[in-house]
Amino acid sequence: MLLKRTLGAVAAVGLLAFAGTALAQDKIKIGVSYPTPTHAWAAGMNWHAEQAEKRLEALYPDVDLILVNSSDPEAQASALEDLVSVHQIDALVVLPFESEPLTDPVLNVKKSGAWITVVDRGLSQPGIEDLYVAGNNPELGRVSAQYMKGRLKDGDNIVVLRGIPTVIDNERFDAFMAEIEGSGINVLDHKHANWNRDDGFEVMQDFLSRFPDIDAVWAQDDDIAIGVVAALKQAGRDGDGMFVVGGAGMKEIIKGIMDGETLIPVDVLYPPAMIATAMDQTVAAFKSNGPVAGRYILGATLITPENAESYYFPDSPF
């Protein structure tokens, strides 16, 4: 009798182990790869990825999201190899550190049979991804210019602080300038501030020393805008009616808009939460009977006191 009970217990343990293995194999494994945060927007993206991981895994117990951040393109390429060889992922959500060096590594993941979602920075070879999720850079420029046109009059003067010299910066700047053209608003100068607070401060100092009459500033980016405001306050020109328009949706800026800040009265959204959108849609590729593949371009919403609360995430680092 004891022998029969022992054998029965062993058999039960074996069945449980087999069932556990089967459940593990039935998991939908999705790798999420992005650069290690080195500035505020990227830190916000990392936070939103972690929040989406918790939410989606609680909603779908059979989904396993594997988050990996990498310090440079080579490290990210190596991480992609591990996601395939070690984790045997069914899908990849990737924000490439740089487009060119990550194109072949992502293509290799595609060849393994995985679904590919690319976020923000496109690959150098079209057609690899099943889904592309990004913000709308031209629209960010247009929306900023439209707000300027609504606030300013013919003959008013503005200065422009650009980002890092990239395709993204060109798309934003070109759309802004095209919208401003013919409005009678004078663009006194534009210089690159590299999406950086210190550079924003230095460039704005230069503008203030050269232009005594500035009515508004397009900073394009919230980090730049914070540097611009610091320069205005140091020069004692923060109370002369000038206003600044940034972009991205930094919580510090949005809180100021909610509180009625007049120096930065609005912001234009370029959300770090786009990584969460990409994760949602990738899971939907396995869970929904509706089509998911294609391009998912997020709007560049004008954030005002009326809608700011909807875009305020106080626990986010951005």
Side-chain angles (χ1 to χ4, degrees), residues 228-242:
V228 167
V229 168
L232 292 175
K233 289 182 176 179
Q234 185 185 74
R237 291 179 62 179
D238 55 317
D240 62 0
M242 194 186 315

Side-chain angles (χ1 to χ4, degrees), residues 77-248:
S78 177
L80 296 186
E81 290 181 6
D82 288 345
L83 285 170
V84 173
S85 63
V86 177
H87 297 283
Q88 299 178 339
I89 57 173
D90 302 291
L92 172 68
V93 177
V94 58
L95 194 159
F97 203 105
E98 294 176 9
S99 298
E100 183 66 37
L102 269 301
T103 294
D104 282 345
V106 174
L107 178 59
N108 289 334
V109 178
K110 177 73 172 180
K111 289 177 179 177
S112 75
W115 168 283
I116 304 294
T117 298
V118 173
V119 185
D120 192 35
R121 298 168 193 162
L123 301 171
S124 60
Q125 178 182 327
I128 295 174
E129 70 274 8
D130 299 283
L131 175 66
Y132 177 65
V133 177
N136 193 328
N137 288 292
E139 190 69 10
L140 186 149
R142 278 192 294 273
V143 169
S144 301
Q146 287 165 359
Y147 179 78
M148 293 274 189
K149 288 165 61 177
R151 282 281 305 265
L152 301 174
K153 61 184 184 299
D154 188 358
D156 281 346
N157 300 317
I158 66 174
V159 292
V160 173
L161 291 86
R162 303 180 60 174
I164 295 171
T166 57
V167 171
I168 288 175
D169 174 73
N170 290 339
E171 288 177 344
R172 294 177 179 182
F173 177 73
D174 291 347
F176 179 89
M177 295 300 288
E179 186 68 31
I180 286 291
E181 186 176 359
S183 67
I185 297 169
N186 303 312
V187 179
L188 300 175
D189 199 1
H190 58 87
K191 292 181 69 174
H192 290 283
N194 305 311
W195 298 319
N196 180 277
R197 295 186 189 195
D198 292 340
D199 290 350
F201 179 81
E202 292 177 7
V203 171
M204 194 63 206
Q205 277 189 319
D206 172 62
F207 286 159
L208 291 171
S209 70
R210 292 191 289 124
F211 304 118
D213 182 18
I214 301 173
D215 297 292
V217 181
W218 184 43
Q220 195 199 98
D221 171 82
D222 290 340
D223 273 314
I224 295 176
I226 289 172
V228 167
V229 168
L232 292 175
K233 289 182 176 179
Q234 185 185 74
R237 291 179 62 179
D238 55 317
D240 62 0
M242 194 186 315
F243 66 89
V244 181
V245 177

Side-chain angles (χ1 to χ4, degrees), residues 13 37 47 101 123 155 284 292:
V13 170
W47 183 83
L123 301 171
V292 174

Side-chain angles (χ1 to χ4, degrees), residues 5 17 49 190 288:
R5 288 178 179 174
H190 58 87
S288 173

